[in-house]
Amino acid sequence: MNTNSQVKTARQAGLGQCLKCHKLNVITHKDQRCSCCQAKVSLRKYRSLEYTLAWTIAAIIAFFPANLYPIMIFTSLGTPEASTILSGIKTFIQLGMYPVALVVFIASFIVPLGKMLGLIILIITVKTGSKVDPKHRTQLYHLVEFLGPWSMLDVFVVALMAAVVNLGFITSIEAGPGISYFALMVIFTMFAAESFDPRLLWDNLDNDD
Amino acid sequence: MSAEPVNYDQMIACPQCDGLSTKPLLKEGQKAVCKRCGGKVLERKRDPIRRTLAVALAGLLLLIPATILPLIGVSAVGLFNQASLLDCIAILIANDYYLIAISLTIFTLAVPVIRLLAALYISWCIRMQRITPALVHFFRSYHQLDSWTMLHVFLLGIMVSMYKLVALAELSVGLGLVAFILLLICSTLVSVTLDKHYIWEQLEAGCEY
Ligand SMILES: [Zn+2]
Ligand SMILES: [Zn+2]
């Protein structure tokens, strides 16, 4: 068919690549250790799909309180005003600050949602043995992995604003409870991406032969 | 020529698709690409040890000014306040946002520092030919840290905060921001200069189990 089927995989040769030091180990038993760096080594990451799914579900659960609770409380002359992620973006638009509105909307809303969706797509395509080009799905995985830390943006903005804007009665900014859930959500999706084994995307090809 | 390759030390597997290939002999600055998925399998960097030593040392020197000097400040109606990275963490702790305080400390302080220290220590040990089994465990943990450094996200956070604050009060930029940007550059350069494959080769050759 194509060159893909001519390449032999390490798994077919009974070899497991160490994910830390890249050394190939002949896999003989469970809980084997790498002969070079002593890390745990196996053919594929242990229960990769189950762990990825579990972390993704945890992230989806945290997504709701993260968006419903205020992330920032702005107090001006004694009157507090709470804002959530979406209401904060709305304020930007009303003030005509479109570039920031776009950056924050992408980093704190689109990216987390996209990451969770991407992870679910990856899990489903592996489970159902999808024939979609594994090259594209590997690219999707790298995108999810790359985007991971960027959603922390809002957490850092709130932390910095709360520290800087501290002018007593005139104006002050405080963090809101939503920000903790938001940070949890980001960390959960990063764990999910870390648990996923991209080699699973290519295993369907081998099974055809 | 039909014989199966038996010597696994001469083989290498792709970390993304598990495709096997013979280990190419690379010159400094060259990289090898996977036949099956197009991902990078092996890379040899130029002058890895000396460059890493220099960059990691510079990063560590910048660390203290980047942490304790104020990043940005605001002033309104005669009041002035500025905040450093350390202030951000302190205020979060004072307001009982422990999860955010811990995340901020880990992602923008602990992980980058440990990475720089680890890169410096390992490069120095290899240069001095002092390879011990403990070093192997040490370098193995280094791999875990790569995806968890968020200096770049924090910088974007500073920029978004500045944009937000311009509308609110008079803004000033601290020396800490300059140090922070330079620290970010050094931290990024370490991942560029440090040659993991080379270090693992040296470690494996240096201590036989
Ligand atoms: Zn290993
Ligand atoms: Zn490959």
Side-chain angles (χ1 to χ4, degrees):
Chain A
M1 200 174 78
N2 54 20
T3 49
N4 285 342
S5 46
Q6 287 158 15
V7 175
K8 197 175 180 177
T9 65
R11 182 152 102 156
Q12 287 163 340
L15 298 168
Q17 188 192 30
C18 174
L19 293 170
K20 298 283 154 54
C21 72
H22 298 253
K23 189 180 172 70
L24 286 168
N25 288 263
V26 183
I27 301 292
T28 50
H29 56 279
K30 261 187 90 178
D31 299 325
Q32 194 174 329
R33 297 260 168 189
C34 171
S35 66
C36 166
C37 74
Q38 303 293 300
K40 273 197 180 152
V41 62
S42 53
L43 291 172
R44 294 288 175 266
K45 279 185 194 171
Y46 179 67
R47 302 224 161 168
S48 168
L49 285 188
E50 285 89 340
Y51 278 118
T52 310
L53 185 64
W55 286 119
T56 309
I57 291 172
I60 293 170
I61 294 170
F63 180 79
F64 292 98
N67 278 282
L68 293 174
Y69 285 115
I71 57 160
M72 200 155 70
I73 299 149
F74 178 77
T75 313
S76 180
L77 301 171
T79 39
E81 190 190 321
S83 71
T84 61
I85 290 171
L86 286 177
S87 78
I89 294 165
K90 215 175 90 186
T91 315
F92 278 138
I93 295 171
Q94 281 163 355
L95 291 171
M97 297 155 94
Y98 299 111
V100 197
L102 193 68
V103 169
V104 176
F105 182 65
I106 291 174
S108 14
F109 200 75
I110 299 290
V111 166
L113 268 184
K115 268 195 311 192
M116 291 185 275
L117 193 71
L119 285 162
I120 290 171
I121 291 172
L122 289 171
I123 295 171
I124 290 174
T125 56
V126 171
K127 259 280 185 263
T128 58
S130 160
K131 290 279 176 283
V132 180
D133 191 347
K135 222 175 235 181
H136 297 315
R137 287 184 288 142
T138 308
Q139 282 166 354
L140 176 64
Y141 171 69
H142 283 307
L143 185 69
V144 169
E145 213 185 14
F146 165 80
L147 289 175
W150 287 105
S151 345
M152 271 301 203
L153 178 68
D154 241 2
V155 176
F156 294 157
V157 169
V158 170
L160 197 62
M161 298 276 279
V164 177
V165 185
N166 200 351
L167 299 174
F169 182 72
I170 311 290
T171 41
S172 70
I173 287 176
E174 243 185 82
I179 203 72
S180 297
Y181 292 104
F182 191 85
L184 271 183
M185 176 194 70
V186 178
I187 293 168
F188 288 161
T189 55
M190 288 183 70
F191 277 131
E194 202 129 292
S195 314
F196 189 77
D197 193 333
R199 293 173 294 184
L200 291 171
L201 299 168
W202 296 80
D203 283 347
N204 295 332
L205 291 181
D206 310 337
N207 298 338
D208 293 347
D209 308 333
Chain B
M1 282 305 282
S2 62
E4 292 283 310
V6 210
N7 192 353
Y8 305 123
D9 289 336
Q10 300 306 314
M11 304 289 291
I12 191 158
C14 171
Q16 299 171 87
C17 74
D18 213 27
L20 269 179
S21 50
T22 42
K23 206 181 232 173
L25 274 173
L26 298 178
K27 287 192 191 113
E28 281 197 355
Q30 284 184 323
K31 55 177 134 182
V33 168
C34 174
K35 270 182 287 188
R36 193 188 195 199
C37 74
K40 192 172 72 190
V41 226
L42 199 62
E43 187 176 13
R44 276 205 62 155
K45 293 176 174 171
R46 282 202 181 84
D47 201 5
I49 300 296
R50 271 195 13 218
R51 286 188 184 188
T52 309
L53 273 173
V55 173
L57 195 64
L60 285 168
L61 290 176
L62 286 161
L63 189 81
I64 293 169
T67 320
I68 61 167
L69 290 180
L71 296 165
I72 49 176
V74 288
S75 51
V77 284
L79 293 163
F80 178 70
N81 187 50
Q82 55 185 10
S84 65
L85 182 53
L86 220 53
D87 294 331
C88 293
I89 296 165
I91 283 171
L92 287 168
I93 293 172
N95 291 329
D96 294 340
Y97 281 96
Y98 297 115
L99 181 76
I100 306 297
I102 293 168
S103 314
L104 193 63
T105 314
I106 291 178
F107 299 142
T108 62
L109 215 56
V111 172
V113 172
I114 297 170
R115 274 184 81 238
L116 288 172
L117 276 174
L120 185 74
Y121 181 62
I122 288 166
S123 304
W124 185 77
C125 284
I126 289 183
R127 200 182 156 90
M128 295 289 140
Q129 301 283 316
R130 286 191 195 178
I131 297 165
T132 60
L135 205 60
V136 174
H137 293 270
F138 188 64
F139 191 52
R140 208 177 73 204
S141 355
Y142 177 89
H143 287 250
Q144 218 80 47
L145 296 175
D146 261 7
S147 43
W148 295 95
T149 157
M150 297 197 188
L151 291 173
H152 52 310
V153 184
F154 194 77
L155 183 64
L156 185 64
I158 296 174
M159 276 150 49
V160 170
S161 305
M162 285 166 76
Y163 205 95
K164 278 186 172 185
L165 290 169
V166 164
L168 203 75
E170 204 167 315
L171 194 70
S172 64
V173 174
L175 261 181
L177 186 59
V178 182
F180 186 85
I181 293 172
L182 291 173
L183 172 65
L184 167 65
I185 293 172
C186 288
S187 168
T188 315
L189 275 179
V190 162
S191 1
V192 177
T193 58
L194 188 110
D195 191 332
K196 286 179 180 174
H197 293 285
Y198 177 74
I199 290 181
W200 276 120
E201 270 168 28
Q202 297 288 313
L203 290 180
E204 203 188 4
C207 59
E208 295 294 328
Y209 286 96

